[in-house]
Amino acid sequence: MPPLLTQVARLSDGLPLVATQTPCHGIPVTAKDQQEAREILKKITSSMSGKMSIAAGDKAFYYMTRDSLCFLAMAEARYPKRLAFLYLDEIGDALLGELVREFGNQWRDEVN
């Protein structure tokens, strides 16, 4: 089962820049899940740990901070932590690579 919800936000204010959901039969992403993800993103600051997981009932949130951005995924609680963080690393590599291609090394000016 892949992550159900993925979001990327600015660390400075938690503003979501990218969000996606993976449809899965029998495991909906509820409005409460989305609200909880937004609240987590707003609470994370640049001084917090680079990677962390947060249990939330039968689901878990995983996040990592990198280059003034926060990458967050929500998955079933039984989803392996290692895979969740590998997934976030891949998302980070892809998004940062695209930002550099589109805006060059000044991409932070465009995001902030």
Side-chain angles (χ1 to χ4, degrees):
M1 175 75 49
L4 304 167
L5 174 71
T6 305
Q7 293 189 1
V8 180
R10 293 190 306 210
L11 268 177
S12 60
D13 59 3
L15 178 72
L17 303 173
V18 178
T20 185
Q21 292 184 35
T22 304
C24 182
H25 297 290
I27 307 172
V29 175
T30 65
K32 180 183 174 200
D33 295 331
Q34 293 174 1
Q35 179 61 33
E36 195 165 357
R38 283 190 295 273
E39 289 173 10
I40 291 169
L41 288 170
K42 286 181 182 179
K43 291 178 183 177
I44 297 170
T45 66
S46 58
S47 65
M48 295 178 82
S49 171
K51 294 182 179 180
M52 186 175 279
S53 61
I54 301 167
D58 62 342
K59 297 175 182 148
F61 291 91
Y62 304 90
Y63 77 82
M64 73 171 202
T65 59
R66 184 167 146 194
D67 290 320
S68 73
L69 299 175
C70 182
F71 301 85
L72 179 133
M74 182 191 75
E76 289 183 275
R78 67 179 186 220
Y79 192 76
K81 275 186 192 182
R82 182 175 179 275
L83 289 180
F85 290 120
L86 286 172
Y87 171 77
L88 290 174
D89 281 332
E90 286 184 23
I91 295 297
D93 291 345
L95 180 66
L96 293 170
E98 187 61 33
L99 287 170
V100 168
R101 273 190 291 285
E102 189 167 335
F103 301 108
N105 290 330
Q106 305 306 317
W107 67 265
R108 285 177 187 84
D109 296 335
E110 296 295 326
V111 171
N112 291 325

